[in-house]
Amino acid sequence: MAFQKAKGTQDLLPAAIGTWQYVEAAARELCRRYGFREIRTPMFESTELYQRGVGETTDIVEKEMYNFEDRGGRSVTLRPEGTAGTVRAYVENKLYSEPEVAKLYYIGPMFRYERQQAGRYRQFHQFGIEALGALDPALDAEVIALGYDFFTSVGLKGVRVELNSVGTPEIRAAFRERLLAFLEPKRELLCKDCQSRMDRNPLRVLDCKHDQAHFEGAPSILDSLDESCATHFDQVRAHLDAMEIPYTINSRLVRGLDYYTHTAFEYKAEGIGSIDTVGGGGRYNGLVADIGGPDQPGVGLAIGLERTVLLLESQQTELPETTRADVYVVGLGESAAQAATGVAKRLRGAGLAVERDYGGRKMKAQLKSADRYEARLAVILGEDELARGEAVLKAMASGEQQTVRLTELEAQVITQLKEMDAQ
Ligand code: AMP
């Protein structure tokens, strides 16, 4: 029986990888501009880190983690998100002792045992950033702006920012009581998910897609904020305005993770089945201390790369063209084939992408192969030309041919490619 990939996983094949590299390059470039530096943490951590860092009552910890006992009897978990591991590394490596805010980013796979659907996988990839060590609302706003810039810089249209404040844990606890008093009489009218969320995490009930009709007149967390939370929220908004980042306020937005304080936000877009969230994040002032570090605040975001790629496809966004080969080296006959190997090596050394034949095929077949690689130039090496110390240079688009001295081949190839670029 042939093997198949595990449910909810994907093979990213060379034909599609260009889009991924394009998206990742955009993320790295924006991080450079905003001063975020890459961090790579392990793909698995102790299970307890996620129980504490993500929260016991979250969907992730309750039903989605890939956890197992290793051979030493430790309980470990494939990372379901990037924040807990990044914060763990920040604490363990004492990055907080540096004088500047730690601005970190990561790109990599995450693992959640979720029901498979369009835009939802069991191994998926996130681009995430975390800024640790400052309470400044400018930092919340810059994190939101970086995410917004990411979507626009890859060429996506219509990605919206939704913003909320979820206050402090104390404010949420008081709000929770008010909300439950509102929801309790409606319990039987709500969907199963909402009913179970009422018991575990009532704030998330308001986020439900099906039951919005029942939430008319529900209390708003924004009315429950104290002065310092309200001020922080206002300042985040002012900084967003200063950067001209558009956003809407959604007082029902609560993120799926427990650790958020103050700012919570999401990026939304139409075009991936029934799913509309492509990224999100917020401030987490208690998290560093919760996992045993000093009392340092943080703010961050995570963006789903599968969903970004799906949106690029659904919007038919034009990506920059990449060619697989600048030059194809045609070698005809045994000694010419060896000369071709040498020529290919020298041209690659000059920084060009070079393809060639690996089967001793005839001229016509090799030129066809050159077309498949979209080579712009072919270098044709035959026994007779070689004997004269020459090669033929063929411009693939026009068919124009020119005989050049082997000693000048490299320089000629480079000149011709430059001329083509300039046209
Ligand atoms: P979260 O960590 O749940 O806030 O997720 C942040 C982003 O990661 C989401 O907005 C999605 O774009 C992406 N994401 C989360 N879970 C999945 C999944 N199972 N499959 C694909 N993308 C996901």
Side-chain angles (χ1 to χ4, degrees), residues 300-311:
L301 63 69
I303 287 170
L305 296 188
E306 279 76 4
R307 292 185 193 177
T308 304
V309 168
L310 285 168
L311 274 183

Side-chain angles (χ1 to χ4, degrees), residues 8 10 60 64 80-83 106 110-127 151 255-257 259-260 265-267 272 275-281 301-308 310:
Q10 287 196 100
I60 292 182
E64 296 171 359
E81 54 91 64
T83 304
Y106 56 83
M110 307 292 159
F111 306 85
R112 294 183 196 172
Y113 192 81
E114 292 201 80
R115 199 168 51 80
Q116 199 184 353
Q117 66 179 95
R120 183 162 285 147
Y121 303 90
R122 291 182 175 170
Q123 175 175 336
F124 59 98
H125 297 76
Q126 285 184 340
F127 157 46
F151 291 114
R255 308 268 305 127
L257 309 147
Y259 47 58
Y260 291 106
F265 58 91
E266 275 181 350
Y267 303 93
I272 322 170
I275 282 174
D276 64 356
T277 308
V278 287
L301 63 69
I303 287 170
L305 296 188
E306 279 76 4
R307 292 185 193 177
T308 304
L310 285 168

Side-chain angles (χ1 to χ4, degrees), residues 243-287:
M243 292 183 285
E244 296 176 15
I245 303 291
Y247 62 89
T248 53
I249 291 177
N250 174 2
S251 65
R252 294 180 178 175
L253 180 121
V254 200
R255 308 268 305 127
L257 309 147
D258 270 358
Y259 47 58
Y260 291 106
T261 54
H262 298 283
T263 314
F265 58 91
E266 275 181 350
Y267 303 93
K268 298 209 165 156
E270 267 45 77
I272 322 170
S274 62
I275 282 174
D276 64 356
T277 308
V278 287
R283 183 166 270 288
Y284 46 84
N285 288 349
L287 180 62

Side-chain angles (χ1 to χ4, degrees), residues 2-269:
F3 289 108
Q4 293 187 327
K5 60 185 177 299
K7 207 170 168 182
T9 64
Q10 287 196 100
D11 296 315
L12 303 177
L13 302 175
I17 211 75
T19 312
W20 281 81
Q21 290 172 341
Y22 165 76
V23 161
E24 288 168 10
R28 290 181 196 284
E29 170 56 18
L30 275 174
C31 285
R32 185 188 69 77
R33 294 188 199 173
Y34 278 85
F36 285 77
R37 297 195 297 167
E38 187 175 8
I39 183 166
R40 298 188 189 187
T41 62
M43 222 89 84
F44 63 91
E45 302 266 359
S46 76
T47 300
E48 207 188 332
L49 173 70
Y50 297 113
Q51 287 166 340
R52 278 223 244 152
V54 178
E56 296 274 11
T57 63
T58 56
D59 286 350
I60 292 182
V61 171
E62 282 191 344
K63 14 181 224 215
E64 296 171 359
M65 293 206 303
Y66 277 93
N67 48 310
F68 57 96
E69 204 170 273
D70 73 8
R71 287 174 191 275
R74 306 168 197 89
S75 178
V76 295
T77 294
L78 298 184
R79 64 180 185 194
E81 54 91 64
T83 304
T86 302
V87 170
R88 196 260 322 129
Y90 168 81
V91 172
E92 186 170 340
N93 297 287
K94 300 192 173 54
L95 300 185
Y96 50 79
S97 60
E98 291 173 14
E100 300 293 341
V101 172
K103 295 200 280 186
L104 308 167
Y105 83 90
Y106 56 83
I107 296 175
M110 307 292 159
F111 306 85
R112 294 183 196 172
Y113 192 81
E114 292 201 80
R115 199 168 51 80
Q116 199 184 353
Q117 66 179 95
R120 183 162 285 147
Y121 303 90
R122 291 182 175 170
Q123 175 175 336
F124 59 98
H125 297 76
Q126 285 184 340
F127 157 46
I129 68 176
E130 316 290 348
L132 294 135
L135 288 163
D136 193 329
L139 201 53
D140 309 41
E142 284 201 350
V143 166
I144 295 170
L146 193 158
Y148 183 77
D149 283 357
F150 168 75
F151 291 114
T152 50
S153 83
V154 296
L156 287 175
K157 302 203 163 58
V159 177
R160 309 181 306 277
V161 180
E162 292 189 2
L163 180 68
N164 194 20
S165 171
V166 295
T168 59
E170 297 73 37
I171 286 169
R172 274 209 298 284
F175 177 69
R176 191 189 140 107
E177 297 312 313
R178 277 180 64 202
L179 183 62
L180 277 175
F182 170 84
L183 291 174
E184 209 53 68
K186 302 177 193 288
R187 183 183 275 269
E188 298 308 317
L189 302 171
L190 304 180
C191 73
K192 283 263 165 319
D193 261 357
C194 280
Q195 295 189 9
S196 102
R197 278 182 178 153
M198 274 179 70
D199 302 322
R200 295 179 298 132
N201 195 347
L203 269 70
R204 290 210 61 207
V205 171
L206 292 178
D207 229 3
C208 175
K209 277 206 175 75
H210 316 290
D211 290 342
Q212 287 300 321
H214 300 300
F215 302 151
E216 197 77 17
S220 158
I221 186 141
L222 291 177
D223 299 331
S224 311
L225 298 183
D226 64 16
E227 203 184 321
S228 97
C229 288
T231 305
H232 187 90
F233 189 53
D234 288 343
Q235 288 177 352
V236 172
R237 296 179 56 185
H239 284 287
L240 286 172
D241 292 341
M243 292 183 285
E244 296 176 15
I245 303 291
Y247 62 89
T248 53
I249 291 177
N250 174 2
S251 65
R252 294 180 178 175
L253 180 121
V254 200
R255 308 268 305 127
L257 309 147
D258 270 358
Y259 47 58
Y260 291 106
T261 54
H262 298 283
T263 314
F265 58 91
E266 275 181 350
Y267 303 93
K268 298 209 165 156

